[in-house]
């Protein structure tokens, strides 16, 4: 079943966006790719890129200590904390009140998608610096405006948004970044432990540098796939729908399989 057929099969169940292309940044297949969704944890990729820019500039260091705490300034007013019950990365929570290296937090943020680690890294980097990554590579529709679990800001309508096209643009930039910072981010993405979407749709052992995200009605994934017998390709899928979460994951995996099956002639998907 082709990608268009897969999307046709869920028509009316929500909003589904896809961007597929190679590392030259040219799309070979798009479906509602410019429409933004709540970003969920896909925003952690621009945060990681912004971090490495500051490391390269000498403003931050991966080995600098950061005290782990759960208290942050809201983008709206007052302060907020991360909901531990909704954070599926427990290791950061065991470090409360103690110093850890900033690089360790970055690893927790990407490979285990720790929300607490993300807000600690974002506090060091700054929301403006993280958003600047999206502004540089994206269309201007996507944005990082607040930390994870900033409920006060959320209630005030301050949200993080991501489109498949903008997530793809960031991945294309990372995939072509030959600096030490680019390699560092790619290795973090390749170490992602949550692999139920794009990696599940390609053969086991394939290198996939990806960042996914999920929330109520939300399931996204975006990554660079490296077939051993073809050029790398970039795939991003964003879903905001009434599909059961497992079904949304299977949809993304099936789209990845469709892309993989055309890896030697990706343009044929058009």
């Amino acid at each position: 079943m082709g990608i268009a057929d897969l999307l046709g099969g869920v028509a009316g169940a929500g909003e589904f966006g896809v961007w597929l292309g190679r590392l030259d940044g040219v799309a070979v297949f798009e479906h509602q790719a410019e429409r933004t969704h709540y970003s969920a944890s896909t925003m952690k990729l621009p945060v990681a890129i912004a971090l490495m820019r500051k490391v390269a500039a000498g403003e931050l260091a991966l080995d600098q200590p950061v005290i782990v705490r759960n208290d942050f300034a809201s983008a709206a007013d007052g302060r907020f904390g991360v909901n531990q019950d909704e954070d599926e990365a427990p290791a950061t929570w065991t470090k409360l009140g103690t110093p850890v290296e900033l690089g360790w937090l970055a690893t927790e943020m990407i490979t285990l998608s720790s929300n607490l680690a993300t807000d600690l890294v974002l506090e060091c980097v700054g929301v403006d610096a993280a958003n600047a990554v999206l502004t540089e590579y994206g269309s201007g529709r996507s944005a990082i405006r607040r930390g994870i679990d900033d409920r006060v800001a959320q209630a005030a309508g301050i949200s993080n948004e991501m489109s498949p096209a903008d997530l793809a643009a960031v991945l294309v930039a990372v995939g072509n970044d030959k600096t030490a910072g680019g390699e560092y981010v790619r290795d973090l993405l390749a170490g992602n432990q949550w692999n139920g979407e794009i990696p599940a749709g390609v053969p086991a052992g394939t290198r996939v540098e990806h960042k996914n995200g999920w929330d109520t009605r939300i399931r996204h994934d975006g990554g660079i796939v490296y077939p051993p017998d073809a050029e790398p390709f970039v795939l991003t899928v964003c879903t905001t729908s009434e599909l059961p979460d497992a079904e949304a994951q299977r949809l993304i995996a099936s789209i990845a399989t469709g892309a993989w099956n055309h890896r030697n002639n990706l343009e044929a998907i058009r």
Side-chain angles (χ1 to χ4, degrees):
M1 182 178 293
I3 295 175
D5 297 321
L6 290 167
L7 294 168
V10 294
E15 297 178 359
F16 304 89
V18 178
W19 191 100
L20 174 64
R22 297 203 187 274
L23 281 175
D24 61 4
V26 177
V28 300
F29 180 90
E30 293 181 277
H31 176 83
Q32 298 183 357
E34 302 295 337
R35 177 179 291 176
T36 60
H37 300 245
Y38 171 59
S39 70
S41 291
T42 62
M43 56 82 73
K44 297 170 184 178
L45 172 55
V47 174
I49 296 171
L51 167 63
M52 295 314 296
R53 288 182 172 183
K54 286 188 175 284
V55 168
E59 299 174 30
L60 294 172
L62 292 175
D63 62 355
Q64 74 181 61
V66 177
I67 301 295
V68 177
R69 54 182 174 72
N70 187 23
D71 179 63
F72 305 96
S74 171
D77 185 36
R79 305 193 68 81
F80 74 96
V82 173
N83 185 342
Q84 184 174 1
D85 293 337
E86 295 181 0
D87 193 346
E88 298 178 76
T92 316
W93 294 90
T94 69
K95 307 293 186 180
L96 281 170
T98 64
V100 299
E101 290 188 353
L102 180 56
W104 183 83
L105 290 171
T107 300
E108 288 290 298
M109 173 177 72
I110 297 297
T111 64
L112 291 171
S113 207
S114 167
N115 291 338
L116 181 58
T118 298
D119 283 347
L120 289 162
V121 174
L122 184 60
E123 186 175 64
C124 293
V125 169
V127 170
D128 289 345
N131 189 58
V133 173
L134 279 178
T135 300
E136 178 177 348
Y137 299 122
S139 65
R141 297 180 180 88
S142 301
I144 296 174
R145 301 184 177 97
R146 62 170 175 84
I148 300 287
D149 277 352
D150 186 348
R151 304 297 186 190
V152 178
Q154 182 180 13
I158 301 172
S159 185
N160 298 325
E161 298 178 78
M162 187 72 74
S163 73
D166 288 345
L167 181 56
V170 175
L171 286 162
V172 166
V174 170
N176 287 292
D177 184 352
K178 305 308 180 185
T179 68
E183 183 177 354
Y184 183 86
V185 172
R186 288 194 299 274
D187 283 346
L188 287 181
L189 295 172
N192 191 342
Q193 299 298 298
W194 301 106
N195 293 312
E197 297 89 28
I198 292 174
V202 302
T206 303
R207 182 177 174 95
V208 182
E209 299 165 357
H210 75 115
K211 186 68 199 83
N212 40 7
W214 55 92
D215 203 336
T216 304
R217 301 184 65 240
I218 300 289
R219 182 58 70 166
H220 309 323
D221 199 9
I224 308 170
V225 180
Y226 293 84
D229 58 350
E231 295 179 19
F233 63 85
V234 177
L235 173 64
T236 61
V237 185
C238 294
T239 77
T240 304
S241 75
E242 301 304 324
L243 296 180
D245 191 55
E247 188 174 337
Q249 287 186 288
R250 285 193 295 272
L251 172 66
I252 298 173
S254 296
I255 291 171
T257 299
W260 177 269
N261 289 340
H262 289 83
R263 65 193 181 279
N264 290 300
N265 185 17
L266 206 61
E267 290 71 17
I269 291 180
R270 289 196 181 102

